[in-house]
Amino acid sequence: MKIYLYQGSYDKVKESGVGKAIDHQKKALELNNIPFTLEDDGSWDIIQLNTVFPDSLRAARRARREGKKIIYYGHSTMEDFKNSFKGSNTIAPLFKKWICRCYNQGDLILTPTPYSKEILETYPLTKPILPISNGIDLDFFDRNKGDRESFRKKYNLKKEDKVVVSVGLYIDRKGFREFLELAQSLPQYQFIWFGYTAPALLPENIKEAIKNKPDNVQLPGYISSLELRDALTGSDLFLFLSHEETEGIALLEALAMKIPAIVRDIEIYKDRFKTGEAVYKGNKTIDFRKEIQLLLEGEKEDLTENAYAVVEKVGLKNVGRRLEEIYIDLLNLSPGGEVGGYNESIDNN
């Protein structure tokens, strides 16, 4: 058994959650000694695709002509495509049709969470869908490996400063403008948003918000994983205001680094991260402002160990084991066979 981890157009997504997912799959296979290739050398049995660019669609069709098995990851939905960049809501229905066309090329569709599976099951997809986390690299995102002092020095932060960080594109779906509004209302704290979106893709309201950002906000742009690890070590709170996610790797990374977190109370986190058990939640700006103050002033219980226990279950070693189960089931499935033979225990959320 050998897997072809397709990386066409990787450079276009390497700084996104999809890019992180590809990196995680590679390491998960390595940790479990599962043979794989990054090149189409003809020696593989299953192709694994993550992107929905035309080259991925062509690669899937070529694999089908050659009689190979195909796994297509359903990272994207129309719901999380909306409110992402200028004009995204207008073309969202077309995006939905396109991703369905791509995903239906797979013999099996994998998606990060039971929540995203539920969404995809409402789409005109004809292939079985199974949830499996994108996972978290617990070897890398280890609080003991971060450099708090280096981070604070780089961003001109005082020892006594209390720092709130977030990660994502400059888009409303991620709660970017709300982040700036919260910073405006809490001038006693420092706020840093890591991530970037090309100006040409930004709607005017986002451009205006950036232009008028409060003085206690820094927007350094995209940073490497090493820098992010230092940032999470050197900060006091991770604020994840996203309105829609299929999983949210940035949140998993923060929880792995044992930094207190506040998230929006959205459906995907309803069962996985219960409020007051692993994270704190809010819906409105007033909720978030209150929770931020209580946490940073030490008036809330520290939930970081509870949160770590949740993300520990989706470490890459475990994800790789579940992928191996999937590969074996897929290769043993006879033509026209029923998907019931798949091991549903791979839903590790």
Side-chain angles (χ1 to χ4, degrees):
M1 178 179 73
K2 191 173 186 179
I3 311 304
Y4 174 22
L5 185 54
Y6 183 74
Q7 288 197 300
S9 300
Y10 173 77
D11 285 346
K12 295 180 181 178
V13 299
K14 64 182 180 181
E15 297 176 2
S16 70
V18 174
K20 284 278 185 73
I22 295 171
D23 295 339
H24 286 180
Q25 289 163 31
K26 180 181 176 182
K27 185 161 185 179
L29 299 184
E30 291 172 340
L31 287 172
N32 288 274
N33 299 311
I34 299 171
F36 72 96
T37 178
L38 302 178
E39 304 293 336
D40 186 5
D41 58 10
S43 67
W44 46 275
D45 306 289
I46 301 172
I47 185 172
Q48 190 160 299
L49 302 122
N50 287 270
T51 58
V52 291
F53 297 115
D55 62 279
S56 293
L57 182 62
R58 290 193 296 269
R61 287 174 171 170
R62 186 166 59 250
R64 187 163 303 285
R65 289 195 299 269
E66 295 173 0
K68 303 293 183 72
K69 296 292 186 181
I70 303 164
I71 289 176
Y72 219 120
Y73 265 85
H75 294 294
S76 301
T77 66
M78 180 183 72
E79 287 73 11
D80 70 17
F81 181 76
K82 289 180 177 179
N83 300 312
S84 55
F85 60 86
K86 187 164 54 179
S88 61
N89 289 4
T90 302
I91 66 174
L94 294 176
F95 179 74
K96 179 180 178 179
K97 289 182 180 180
W98 173 257
I99 61 175
C100 287
R101 186 177 181 183
C102 292
Y103 296 166
N104 271 327
Q105 294 298 313
D107 295 295
L108 175 66
I109 302 167
L110 297 183
T111 193
T113 57
Y115 171 73
S116 55
K117 177 188 176 184
E118 289 176 5
I119 292 175
L120 291 179
E121 285 176 336
T122 68
Y123 290 11
L125 296 171
T126 60
K127 304 302 171 66
I129 306 168
L130 291 178
I132 179 169
S133 173
N134 287 315
I136 182 68
D137 189 348
L138 296 173
D139 292 332
F140 182 85
F141 284 98
D142 180 340
R143 191 170 186 85
N144 295 321
K145 295 179 180 178
D147 190 336
R148 180 181 178 88
E149 297 307 317
S150 174
F151 162 72
R152 294 215 157 211
K153 182 177 179 181
K154 181 174 181 178
Y155 292 97
N156 298 312
L157 299 168
K158 300 173 184 176
K159 186 176 181 180
E160 64 272 17
D161 282 340
K162 294 180 179 178
V163 183
V164 181
V165 298
S166 194
V167 176
L169 301 172
Y170 299 158
I171 57 177
D172 276 335
R173 178 174 67 81
K174 291 289 187 180
F176 177 70
R177 284 191 295 155
E178 291 161 283
F179 185 86
L180 300 183
E181 290 169 9
L182 284 163
Q184 179 79 52
S185 68
L186 295 167
Q188 67 270 41
Y189 306 132
Q190 296 298 311
F191 288 72
I192 307 178
W193 182 286
F194 297 105
Y196 178 75
T197 302
L201 299 176
L202 296 177
E204 290 305 316
N205 57 1
I206 297 288
K207 290 180 181 179
E208 188 68 19
I210 293 173
K211 181 181 177 182
N212 296 306
K213 72 175 183 64
D215 292 338
N216 61 330
V217 172
Q218 295 187 51
L219 303 175
Y222 174 79
I223 58 172
S224 69
S225 293
L226 278 169
E227 292 173 296
L228 178 60
R229 187 172 67 186
D230 290 346
L232 293 172
T233 305
S235 301
D236 302 291
L237 173 64
F238 186 78
L239 184 60
F240 202 56
L241 300 174
S242 181
H243 291 261
E244 182 70 29
E245 293 289 331
T246 53
E247 183 167 39
I249 289 179
L251 176 61
L252 299 185
E253 291 170 343
L255 298 182
M257 293 295 292
K258 298 183 180 180
I259 177 175
I262 298 173
V263 304
R264 188 178 300 280
D265 190 7
I266 54 178
E267 185 66 25
I268 189 173
Y269 300 133
K270 180 179 179 181
D271 296 319
R272 191 178 197 184
F273 299 115
K274 293 186 181 297
T275 187
E277 293 183 11
V279 299
Y280 291 102
K281 297 180 181 179
N283 270 316
K284 300 178 180 179
T285 301
I286 190 172
D287 300 331
F288 293 121
R289 185 165 58 244
K290 179 181 177 182
E291 293 296 319
I292 290 169
Q293 290 177 289
L294 289 173
L295 261 173
L296 292 181
E297 301 306 325
E299 297 177 28
K300 283 277 192 177
E301 181 185 357
D302 186 340
L303 306 177
T304 54
E305 291 297 334
N306 295 348
Y308 186 82
V310 177
V311 298
E312 193 174 24
K313 296 176 183 177
V314 294
L316 293 183
K317 183 74 173 178
N318 289 337
V319 170
R321 290 194 191 105
R322 287 162 173 78
L323 282 173
E324 187 170 29
E325 290 180 6
I326 294 170
Y327 299 149
I328 292 170
D329 282 349
L330 184 58
L331 289 173
N332 290 336
L333 190 68
S334 60
E338 294 295 326
V339 75
Y342 287 107
N343 183 354
E344 286 292 343
S345 69
I346 61 169
D347 176 2
N348 49 14
N349 298 293

